[in-house]
Amino acid sequence: DADVTQTPRNRITKTGKRIMLECSQTKGHDRMYWYRQDPGLGLQLIYYSFDVKDINKGEISDGYSVSRQAQAKFSLSLESAIPNQTALYFCATSDGLETQYFGPGTRLLVL
Amino acid sequence: KNQVEQSPQSLIILEGKNCTLQCNYTVSPFSNLRWYKQDTGRGPVSLTIMTFSENTKSNGRYTATLDADTKQSSLHITASQLSDSASYICVVSRYYGGATNKLIFGTGTLLAVQP
């Protein structure tokens, strides 16, 4: 089984809808991250969490929120999706030594 | 401004040939540099990591070099295989005191290995 899983893998939604992307990990890492990847751009950090009670904004947090339900689970929500949030979203974990382990990604299309 | 630039943007080579990908950065203060491989439709996977004092690191057919003085790194792939077709991303960690170092991602080099 994969160490970092993301659901759904693909999602099409309409402008204004609320959606949630979920991430689970079995690596036992405390640190979890959400990134988005757009064509021609490097990965951009949305939110990160160093433990269950810790939530931090990344570079591009506007329009997003997160929830760290447990050490193994970190969810990303788009409260009111807009077309420029169409992107590939990655969850990642790390054990504090900075190598990050990425999930397979969620491809989101906002119409 | 802390940036990571990679070249070329894309590259096509024949199977069995060697290639070298470049990464230039302006990140300061520097903590470490990583190369990741991202297969199409997958998340990035770490290939190598180098700190300031290391100038070369190998992982099988992949060899990364680092020149911290000129702020340049390269990833050399030897005897390429079809499975090397992927995007290769250079990631530089900016030092903030260890616990919250910031990762700055390059845009990647898309490599296609043709038979």
Side-chain angles (χ1 to χ4, degrees):
Chain A
D1 287 341
D3 293 321
V4 184
T5 58
Q6 293 183 233
T7 56
R9 293 294 315 276
N10 295 280
R11 178 74 184 268
I12 300 174
T13 190
K14 294 182 179 180
T15 297
K17 295 291 187 181
R18 181 182 188 276
I19 67 164
M20 179 182 290
L21 310 183
E22 306 206 11
C23 176
S24 295
Q25 53 113 346
T26 59
K27 298 190 74 69
H29 291 166
D30 286 327
R31 301 185 178 196
M32 298 188 73
Y33 310 78
W34 275 104
Y35 292 92
R36 67 177 279 175
Q37 187 176 41
D38 298 278
L41 296 179
L43 283 151
Q44 296 175 276
L45 183 63
I46 306 172
Y47 271 96
Y48 62 100
S49 168
F50 284 174
D51 65 43
V52 174
K53 297 178 182 179
D54 178 73
I55 299 291
N56 304 281
K57 292 183 177 180
E59 305 162 307
I60 55 165
S61 58
D62 288 347
Y64 302 95
S65 63
V66 292
S67 172
R68 184 80 184 267
Q69 302 94 323
Q71 187 206 36
K73 296 185 181 297
F74 193 35
S75 300
L76 176 71
S77 293
L78 286 67
E79 297 300 328
S80 179
I82 56 177
N84 75 2
Q85 290 178 313
T86 293
L88 189 54
Y89 289 85
F90 287 102
C91 173
T93 74
S94 74
D95 57 3
L97 299 179
E98 294 190 40
T99 295
Q100 298 197 355
Y101 300 85
F102 288 83
T106 294
R107 191 171 297 277
L108 175 65
L109 173 61
V110 183
L111 301 175
Chain B
K1 188 175 181 181
N2 294 292
Q3 289 184 314
V4 176
E5 296 183 350
Q6 294 186 241
S7 62
Q9 283 190 325
S10 60
L11 180 63
I12 301 173
I13 63 173
L14 294 176
E15 187 178 11
K17 297 296 186 182
N18 304 335
C19 68
T20 300
L21 313 180
Q22 300 290 343
C23 173
N24 296 337
Y25 62 92
T26 58
V27 178
S28 181
F30 174 86
S31 178
N32 57 64
L33 184 146
R34 284 176 172 76
W35 283 93
Y36 280 83
K37 178 187 179 188
Q38 184 176 16
D39 292 314
T40 300
R42 301 281 186 99
V45 175
S46 180
L47 291 174
T48 64
I49 174 174
M50 288 180 291
T51 60
F52 185 87
S53 59
E54 298 175 297
N55 55 24
T56 186
K57 184 72 69 77
S58 291
N59 179 357
R61 295 179 295 101
Y62 300 102
T63 300
T65 64
L66 173 65
D67 185 333
D69 291 332
T70 62
K71 298 187 176 181
Q72 296 179 325
S73 176
S74 64
L75 180 68
H76 186 75
I77 304 175
T78 304
S80 61
Q81 300 176 358
L82 297 179
S83 60
D84 292 331
S85 295
S87 180
Y88 292 84
I89 303 171
C90 176
V91 185
V92 179
S93 178
R94 182 171 187 256
Y95 181 77
Y96 275 93
T100 56
N101 288 357
K102 179 181 178 181
L103 299 185
I104 300 166
F105 291 79
T107 57
T109 291
L110 184 61
L111 174 66
V113 180
Q114 294 185 341

